[in-house]
Amino acid sequence: MGELIQEFNDYRAKMNDVILGKQNKVINRLFNLDTNCYAEGALSTKTKEMLGLVASMVLRCDDCIKYHLGKAHEQGVTTEEMYEIFAVANIVGGTIVIPHTRRAAEYWEELIAQ
Amino acid sequence: MGELIQEFNDYRAKMNDVILGKQNKVINRLFNLDTNCYAEGALSTKTKEMLGLVASMVLRCDDCIKYHLGKAHEQGVTTEEMYEIFAVANIVGGTIVIPHTRRAAEYWEELIAQ
Amino acid sequence: MGELIQEFNDYRAKMNDVILGKQNKVINRLFNLDTNCYAEGALSTKTKEMLGLVASMVLRCDDCIKYHLGKAHEQGVTTEEMYEIFAVANIVGGTIVIPHTRRAAEYWEELIAQ
Amino acid sequence: MGELIQEFNDYRAKMNDVILGKQNKVINRLFNLDTNCYAEGALSTKTKEMLGLVASMVLRCDDCIKYHLGKAHEQGVTTEEMYEIFAVANIVGGTIVIPHTRRAAEYWEELIAQ
Amino acid sequence: MGELIQEFNDYRAKMNDVILGKQNKVINRLFNLDTNCYAEGALSTKTKEMLGLVASMVLRCDDCIKYHLGKAHEQGVTTEEMYEIFAVANIVGGTIVIPHTRRAAEYWEELIAQ
Amino acid sequence: MGELIQEFNDYRAKMNDVILGKQNKVINRLFNLDTNCYAEGALSTKTKEMLGLVASMVLRCDDCIKYHLGKAHEQGVTTEEMYEIFAVANIVGGTIVIPHTRRAAEYWEELIAQ
């Protein structure tokens, strides 16, 4: 597994444990709801992960982007499809999204090199 | 055509004419690029319009939401699919997206009543 | 009841009915969680409503602001306290928050005139 | 004076009176600082008003945009210059800025028709 | 003092010196106003720091979050109260706030370990 | 060349190569349009770079800020002028911009030390 991927996954798992361990009901239910949100439904999980990714890109959250890049990769999104998602994010969100696209592109290269 | 739809389309068309008429090359090319962005490609126009919609929702731009709702309707998105897009937008973007979802739901009702 | 308050409450109730009626599980649970979030806990409902208000102000969502202004009023927040919340929102969020503060001030005048 | 301009100025003046009348020191000083910020300095007031305008556009605050459009007009900004400011805002901020550009263009037409 | 806390405080102090040393009146007054904003008033400093924290979380500024976490800790906010603030921030701001909540949780663990 | 400048430029160049090499037409044209946007026109490149910088600051994108700081430095912007741009960004965008101003100030010190 690539270095960026390992580091992201490890930190995410470690801190989720800290947060969920505090037993705040609202937070724990929100984490649960977040998982349900991307389940197969009228739209496929693949489509929903693409929606989650583009939303994360225009809101410019690098860690959210990494998470959805990983999920999109698991769902079989191709590089050509991925760059069309990047295109929508950059057109809607503007050039302010470009630095996040650079980090997304770097992470994606690691994902497809696995 | 519903009242909200008519009003949105008329104002949009009128002001786009004013803007494009000023012949600013960068703006006119960006408008053109915006159209190209949603053309059929590795991803379908339907998928891209859903991406544009969710991006508009989390960025909370009512007019952008209306535009993509209209396009999604043309692409045959169903009400059940639409509410799954709304769900992703509200989970990623939070309850701050709810008021925009109310206006989106109102506009969608007009679209499907046509 | 003031005109702005009536109009806000009516539209909110009408559209929430439309949205919740579609039976999207994720959305309906999120609405439910939103209510739980402000329940008495380690922090009082009054404090949580002030938190919800300042968050709505810096994110510049007029309808969210109106909702939390109404709730804060019910919780007995005074005008002097309210303007200290406005102050935090304007300092953290900048002068971009001023137009939203104008509309918040107008709505607050209606609330305290009841 | 155009209708949009009159309405904007009247509401702004009325609500600023309400807000400043509450004598919250932090808010009143921030309003004062906001005025000082655009005074002639190493940069001209004209340049600073253009900076305030582009910042308002990418943050998508219609009332802030109207305010700075009025000030930019007083400072002699031409229509050609104005559309280059619009271009920067739309490139940096993305197509999400377009609906705000439409309303800005409408307000600008009123300003130059005076 | 924990490593994250030391690093944050040192960089903040060093760069504030650089910025304030340039003697830009508007910036220096804004820094001053920022301090006044959280003084005891109709609302306690503790409440205002919680407001500043939730505003920083929904605006997703990690350094602002760290600053207000430190201040909230000084004001005696408990871990249970803190997670209720995190809950409001995540409900209002959405799952896009989760990665910032992870970093906030990590910093909070350092603060309470002191 | 300062360390921060070198690191920023190297990563930017490397990742732009990866992105542009994927030949997504929309993205490649947007990158091109981004360059055209700051060309001499009715407004000078110097003014446009200041506009790009203030927009990047209020949108709080550190890499975009670094890029425009470098360009502004090439255009002969002085430190006094720069801090007036910082002032507008902090007044419009609020204290949430301060941490980004710290990093901007650090990068600017490197630029003027060259």
Side-chain angles (χ1 to χ4, degrees):
Chain A
M1 194 181 289
E3 196 185 341
L4 290 173
I5 301 169
Q6 188 75 59
E7 187 185 316
F8 172 70
N9 287 345
D10 289 353
Y11 182 74
R12 183 175 174 275
K14 185 181 78 170
M15 293 317 303
N16 278 7
D17 279 355
V18 172
I19 292 170
L20 295 171
K22 302 298 186 190
Q23 308 281 4
N24 179 290
K25 271 189 196 168
V26 173
I27 292 179
N28 291 17
R29 282 183 193 169
L30 182 64
F31 272 61
N32 196 34
L33 202 49
D34 186 29
T35 306
N36 295 343
C37 183
Y38 300 95
E40 291 287 325
L43 296 174
S44 66
T45 293
K46 182 184 169 185
T47 297
K48 289 180 175 183
E49 286 297 341
M50 293 194 292
L51 294 173
L53 175 57
V54 84
S56 301
M57 289 189 78
V58 297
L59 289 175
R60 301 187 289 118
C61 173
D62 288 327
D63 280 6
C64 309
I65 292 170
K66 285 176 182 170
Y67 176 76
H68 288 293
L69 283 171
K71 289 290 179 185
H73 185 248
E74 282 172 29
Q75 294 293 323
V77 172
T78 67
T79 295
E80 198 181 353
E81 289 173 329
M82 185 50 70
Y83 275 73
E84 294 194 2
I85 301 173
F86 290 176
V88 173
N90 280 271
I91 287 294
V92 175
T95 58
I96 211 86
V97 180
I98 291 178
H100 304 273
T101 306
R102 283 190 201 113
R103 290 187 283 273
E106 185 183 24
Y107 198 81
W108 184 252
E109 293 299 304
E110 261 200 23
L111 283 165
I112 59 179
Q114 290 182 308
Chain B
M1 194 181 289
E3 196 184 341
L4 290 172
I5 301 169
Q6 189 75 60
E7 188 184 317
F8 172 70
N9 287 345
D10 288 353
Y11 182 74
R12 182 174 175 276
K14 185 181 78 171
M15 293 317 303
N16 278 7
D17 279 356
V18 172
I19 292 169
L20 295 171
K22 301 299 186 190
Q23 309 281 4
N24 178 291
K25 272 190 195 168
V26 173
I27 292 178
N28 290 17
R29 282 181 193 170
L30 182 64
F31 272 60
N32 196 33
L33 202 48
D34 186 29
T35 306
N36 295 344
C37 182
Y38 299 95
E40 291 288 325
L43 297 174
S44 66
T45 294
K46 182 185 169 186
T47 297
K48 289 179 175 183
E49 285 297 340
M50 295 194 291
L51 294 173
L53 176 57
V54 85
S56 301
M57 289 189 78
V58 297
L59 289 175
R60 301 188 288 118
C61 172
D62 287 326
D63 280 6
C64 309
I65 292 170
K66 285 177 182 170
Y67 176 77
H68 288 293
L69 283 171
K71 289 290 179 185
H73 185 249
E74 283 172 27
Q75 293 293 324
V77 172
T78 69
T79 296
E80 199 181 352
E81 290 173 328
M82 184 50 70
Y83 274 74
E84 294 194 3
I85 301 172
F86 290 175
V88 173
N90 279 271
I91 287 294
V92 175
T95 59
I96 211 86
V97 179
I98 291 178
H100 304 273
T101 305
R102 285 191 200 111
R103 290 186 283 273
E106 186 183 25
Y107 198 82
W108 184 252
E109 292 299 303
E110 261 200 23
L111 284 164
I112 60 180
Q114 290 182 308
Chain C
M1 195 181 288
E3 196 184 341
L4 290 172
I5 302 169
Q6 190 74 61
E7 187 183 318
F8 172 70
N9 286 345
D10 289 353
Y11 182 74
R12 183 174 174 276
K14 186 180 77 170
M15 294 316 303
N16 279 6
D17 279 356
V18 172
I19 293 170
L20 295 171
K22 301 298 185 189
Q23 308 281 4
N24 178 290
K25 272 189 194 168
V26 173
I27 292 178
N28 290 17
R29 283 183 193 169
L30 182 64
F31 272 61
N32 196 33
L33 202 49
D34 186 29
T35 307
N36 295 344
C37 182
Y38 300 96
E40 291 288 326
L43 296 174
S44 66
T45 294
K46 182 184 168 185
T47 298
K48 288 178 174 183
E49 285 297 340
M50 294 194 292
L51 294 173
L53 176 57
V54 84
S56 301
M57 290 189 77
V58 296
L59 288 175
R60 300 187 288 118
C61 173
D62 288 326
D63 280 5
C64 309
I65 292 170
K66 285 177 183 170
Y67 177 77
H68 288 293
L69 283 171
K71 288 290 179 185
H73 185 248
E74 282 172 28
Q75 294 291 325
V77 172
T78 67
T79 295
E80 199 181 353
E81 289 172 329
M82 184 50 70
Y83 274 75
E84 295 194 3
I85 302 172
F86 290 175
V88 174
N90 280 271
I91 287 294
V92 175
T95 58
I96 211 86
V97 180
I98 291 178
H100 304 274
T101 305
R102 284 190 201 111
R103 290 187 283 273
E106 186 183 24
Y107 198 81
W108 184 252
E109 292 300 304
E110 261 200 23
L111 283 164
I112 60 179
Q114 289 183 306
Chain D
M1 196 181 288
E3 196 183 341
L4 290 172
I5 301 169
Q6 189 74 59
E7 188 184 317
F8 172 71
N9 287 345
D10 289 353
Y11 182 74
R12 182 174 174 275
K14 186 181 78 169
M15 293 317 303
N16 279 6
D17 279 355
V18 172
I19 293 170
L20 295 171
K22 302 297 186 191
Q23 308 281 3
N24 178 290
K25 271 190 195 168
V26 173
I27 292 178
N28 290 17
R29 282 184 194 169
L30 182 64
F31 272 60
N32 196 34
L33 202 49
D34 186 29
T35 306
N36 295 344
C37 182
Y38 299 95
E40 292 287 325
L43 296 174
S44 66
T45 293
K46 182 184 169 185
T47 297
K48 288 179 175 183
E49 286 297 339
M50 295 194 291
L51 294 173
L53 176 57
V54 84
S56 301
M57 290 189 78
V58 296
L59 289 176
R60 301 188 287 119
C61 172
D62 287 327
D63 280 5
C64 309
I65 292 170
K66 284 177 183 170
Y67 176 77
H68 287 293
L69 283 171
K71 289 291 179 185
H73 185 249
E74 282 172 28
Q75 293 292 324
V77 172
T78 68
T79 296
E80 198 181 354
E81 288 173 329
M82 184 51 69
Y83 274 74
E84 294 194 1
I85 301 173
F86 289 176
V88 173
N90 279 271
I91 287 294
V92 175
T95 58
I96 211 84
V97 180
I98 291 178
H100 304 273
T101 305
R102 284 190 199 111
R103 290 187 282 274
E106 186 183 25
Y107 198 81
W108 184 252
E109 292 299 303
E110 261 200 23
L111 282 164
I112 60 179
Q114 289 182 307
Chain E
M1 194 181 288
E3 196 184 341
L4 290 172
I5 301 168
Q6 189 74 60
E7 187 184 318
F8 172 71
N9 287 345
D10 289 353
Y11 182 74
R12 183 175 174 275
K14 185 181 78 170
M15 294 316 303
N16 279 6
D17 279 356
V18 172
I19 292 170
L20 295 171
K22 301 298 186 190
Q23 308 281 3
N24 178 290
K25 272 190 196 169
V26 173
I27 292 179
N28 291 17
R29 283 182 193 170
L30 182 63
F31 272 61
N32 196 33
L33 203 48
D34 186 28
T35 306
N36 295 344
C37 183
Y38 299 96
E40 291 288 325
L43 296 173
S44 66
T45 293
K46 182 184 168 186
T47 298
K48 289 179 175 183
E49 285 297 340
M50 294 194 293
L51 294 173
L53 176 57
V54 85
S56 300
M57 289 188 79
V58 296
L59 289 175
R60 301 188 289 118
C61 172
D62 288 326
D63 280 6
C64 310
I65 292 170
K66 285 177 182 169
Y67 176 77
H68 288 293
L69 283 171
K71 289 290 179 186
H73 186 249
E74 282 172 28
Q75 294 292 323
V77 172
T78 67
T79 296
E80 199 181 353
E81 290 174 327
M82 184 50 70
Y83 275 73
E84 294 194 2
I85 301 173
F86 290 175
V88 173
N90 279 270
I91 287 295
V92 175
T95 57
I96 211 86
V97 179
I98 291 178
H100 305 272
T101 305
R102 285 191 199 111
R103 290 187 283 272
E106 185 182 26
Y107 198 82
W108 184 252
E109 293 298 304
E110 261 200 22
L111 283 164
I112 61 180
Q114 288 183 311
Chain F
M1 196 181 287
E3 196 185 342
L4 290 173
I5 301 169
Q6 188 76 59
E7 187 184 319
F8 172 71
N9 286 345
D10 289 353
Y11 182 74
R12 183 175 175 275
K14 185 181 77 170
M15 294 315 304
N16 279 7
D17 279 355
V18 172
I19 294 170
L20 295 172
K22 302 298 185 189
Q23 308 280 4
N24 179 290
K25 271 190 196 169
V26 173
I27 292 179
N28 290 17
R29 282 183 194 170
L30 182 63
F31 272 60
N32 196 33
L33 203 48
D34 187 29
T35 306
N36 294 344
C37 182
Y38 299 96
E40 292 287 327
L43 296 174
S44 66
T45 293
K46 182 184 169 185
T47 297
K48 289 179 175 184
E49 285 296 341
M50 294 194 292
L51 294 173
L53 176 57
V54 85
S56 301
M57 289 189 78
V58 297
L59 289 175
R60 302 186 289 118
C61 172
D62 288 326
D63 280 6
C64 309
I65 292 170
K66 284 177 182 170
Y67 176 76
H68 288 293
L69 283 171
K71 288 291 180 185
H73 185 248
E74 282 172 28
Q75 294 292 324
V77 172
T78 68
T79 295
E80 199 181 352
E81 289 172 329
M82 184 50 70
Y83 274 74
E84 295 194 2
I85 301 172
F86 289 176
V88 173
N90 280 272
I91 286 295
V92 175
T95 58
I96 211 86
V97 180
I98 291 178
H100 304 274
T101 305
R102 284 190 201 111
R103 290 187 283 273
E106 185 183 24
Y107 198 81
W108 184 252
E109 292 299 304
E110 261 200 22
L111 283 164
I112 60 179
Q114 289 182 308

